[in-house]
């Protein structure tokens, strides 16, 4: 019985047991509830294939699609004090920072890089909403200043992808001071005659909307992105009135003159390339490149020498 219990039965159970499926293979769309396979979702740039809902995407995933060959170089950003106010709510501020860094793999809420888009040099910055809701702190202010200085040095455009819940309360007034600092950085670009393009993603709120996110030469938003200073629920409770449908969404702001474009994520790269080359007085980008012509030796291009048989045939034909 020991042989049957210890070997045969476990062997049979292993053949017919239910295999465990990893939990990260499927993602549920928050808009329509469709279960999306992770590879299919990644290939579609985190856009739902059923309802076209634009989900959050990390800065590195976005840059891998935007830049030529997915190649970009990070721009160094000065690191500020870790906990200037010694702030603590339910947890200490450094503990929250370590947890966000562990979950996202990033140092902070903004990533600044440089590279080429359709052979057009650009500097780009993007906020990661999964890092403490993309909140604006001293590091984010330093990142935008570093991006602007790098763009001025290279004489190339700056593209910023905004996604934030506002200023970071753990840094108090220091986070609010980033609003005038980033405004000065944007002014540096304007004085240098360089384009500054803002792409507003879901959601862009609070002090970010009140500063650098709405100061672009061209304002672009992803479909159905929430863009506001105070959220619709706060406004409804304040004025005690029902707000219009789609209030503070990208399409609503486009109709009321707050945005220039609402562009699908899969068309974003092509649109940005067209805009920056137009603003930089450059010719349109080349859609595709032909392979280099094949170089053949001169001896291969010469006709082969005539054989005696060919000479006899030619004389006979004459």
């Amino acid at each position: 019985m020991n042989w049957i219990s210890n070997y045969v039965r476990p062997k049979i159970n292993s053949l017919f047991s239910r295999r465990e499926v990893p939990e990260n293979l499927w993602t549920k769309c928050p808009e329509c509830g469709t279960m999306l396979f992770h590879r299919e979702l990644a290939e579609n740039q985190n856009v739902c294939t059923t309802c076209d809902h634009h989900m959050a995407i990390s800065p590195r995933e976005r840059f891998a699609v935007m830049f030529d060959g997915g190649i970009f170089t990070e721009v160094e950003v000065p690191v500020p004090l870790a906990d200037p106010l010694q702030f603590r709510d339910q947890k200490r501020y450094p503990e929250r920072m370590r947890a966000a860094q562990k979950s996202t793999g990033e140092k902070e809420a903004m990533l600044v890089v440089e590279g080429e888009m359709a052979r057009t040099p650009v500097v780009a910055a993007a906020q990661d909403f999964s890092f403490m809701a993309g909140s604006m702190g001293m590091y984010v202010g330093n990142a935008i200043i570093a991006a602007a200085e790098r763009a001025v040095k290279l004489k190339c455009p700056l593209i910023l992808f905004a996604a934030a819940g506002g200023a970071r309360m753990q840094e108090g007034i220091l986070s609010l001071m980033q609003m005038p600092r980033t405004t000065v950085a944007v002014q540096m670009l304007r004085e240098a005659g360089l384009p500054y393009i803002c792409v507003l993603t879901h959601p862009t709120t609070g002090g970010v909307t009140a500063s650098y996110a709405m100061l672009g030469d061209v304002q672009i938003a992803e479909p159905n992105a929430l863009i506001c200073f105070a959220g619709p629920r706060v406004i409804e409770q304040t004025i005690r009135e029902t707000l219009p449908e789609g209030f503070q969404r990208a399409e609503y702001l486009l109709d009321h003159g707050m945005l220039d474009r609402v562009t699908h994520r899969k068309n974003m790269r092509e649109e940005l390339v067209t805009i920056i080359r137009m603003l930089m007085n450059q010719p349109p980008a080349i859609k595709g490149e032909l392979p280099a012509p094949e170089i053949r030796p001169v001896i291969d291009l010469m006709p082969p020498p005539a054989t005696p048989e060919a000479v006899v045939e030619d004389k006979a034909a004459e």
Side-chain angles (χ1 to χ4, degrees):
M1 293 300 293
N2 291 337
W3 178 76
I4 295 176
S5 302
N6 297 336
Y7 180 78
V8 177
R9 185 173 295 171
K11 189 68 174 178
I12 294 174
N13 291 337
S14 64
L15 293 175
F16 295 98
S17 61
R18 184 178 179 181
R19 295 181 180 180
E20 296 183 359
V21 179
E23 296 180 357
N24 59 349
L25 289 181
W26 298 89
T27 301
K28 185 177 181 180
C29 175
E31 191 71 19
C32 65
T34 303
M35 298 300 294
L36 304 168
F37 189 53
H38 70 108
R39 290 182 183 174
E40 181 182 12
L41 186 62
E43 291 174 356
N44 207 37
Q45 301 183 40
N46 279 22
V47 178
C48 178
T49 56
T50 303
C51 67
D52 233 19
H53 175 68
H54 285 52
M55 304 181 194
I57 184 172
S58 69
R60 293 189 186 274
E61 292 174 333
R62 187 185 294 276
F63 290 152
V65 178
M66 301 298 296
F67 286 102
D68 296 346
I71 301 173
F72 54 86
T73 305
E74 292 189 40
V75 175
E76 186 177 355
V77 177
V79 180
L81 294 176
D83 188 11
L85 303 182
Q86 302 295 314
F87 189 91
R88 176 169 185 165
D89 43 46
Q90 295 178 348
K91 294 181 181 179
R92 293 186 180 274
Y93 182 34
E95 294 178 10
R96 293 193 180 276
M97 287 290 293
R98 286 192 293 268
Q101 291 169 349
K102 183 178 179 180
S103 62
T104 61
E106 299 291 344
K107 294 185 298 183
E108 253 285 354
M110 178 166 280
L111 179 65
V112 182
V113 300
E114 61 179 271
E116 290 188 345
M117 294 172 53
R119 294 193 174 183
T120 306
V122 297
V123 175
Q127 288 178 272
D128 190 353
F129 191 79
S130 60
F131 193 104
M132 296 185 69
S135 51
M136 176 181 62
M138 290 188 294
Y139 185 93
V140 172
N142 290 349
I144 296 175
I145 294 173
E149 291 176 345
R150 187 62 178 170
V152 171
K153 182 178 180 180
L154 299 178
K155 297 181 180 179
C156 65
L158 173 59
I159 302 174
L160 187 139
F161 298 88
R168 187 171 298 176
M169 69 174 186
Q170 287 87 352
E171 295 183 13
I173 190 64
L174 298 176
S175 64
L176 297 179
M177 284 300 297
Q178 307 314 307
M179 297 171 64
R181 292 185 72 215
T182 54
T183 303
V184 172
V186 173
Q187 187 63 28
M188 290 170 48
L189 293 168
R190 291 185 176 172
E191 291 177 356
L194 297 172
Y196 172 53
I197 301 172
C198 290
V199 181
L200 310 178
T201 66
H202 178 77
T204 302
T205 61
V208 173
T209 308
S211 55
Y212 58 87
M214 298 300 290
L215 295 178
D217 299 312
V218 180
Q219 297 288 135
I220 306 175
E222 291 185 341
N224 202 38
L226 177 64
I227 304 167
C228 60
F229 180 75
R233 183 178 58 183
V234 175
I235 295 176
E236 278 190 344
Q237 293 176 352
T238 302
I239 66 176
R240 297 178 183 178
E241 292 184 8
T242 304
L243 299 175
E245 184 178 357
F247 181 69
Q248 293 182 323
R249 296 288 174 168
E251 292 76 9
Y252 184 91
L253 297 181
L254 178 64
D255 293 339
H256 290 76
M258 295 292 291
L259 298 175
D260 298 306
R261 305 280 289 177
V262 174
T263 305
H264 196 282
R265 189 175 291 169
K266 67 180 181 181
N267 302 325
M268 189 66 71
R269 169 186 157 88
E270 182 178 352
E271 182 125 327
L272 289 174
V273 169
T274 302
I275 292 173
I276 61 179
R277 293 186 73 89
M278 186 184 303
L279 295 178
M280 296 292 289
N281 293 323
Q282 297 178 357
I286 299 174
K287 298 294 183 180
E289 296 183 359
L290 296 175
E294 182 181 357
I295 301 176
R296 298 172 57 187
V298 177
I299 191 172
D300 291 347
L301 301 177
M302 297 176 62
T307 59
E309 293 81 2
V311 173
V312 173
E313 292 178 358
D314 292 342
K315 290 183 177 180
E318 293 177 356

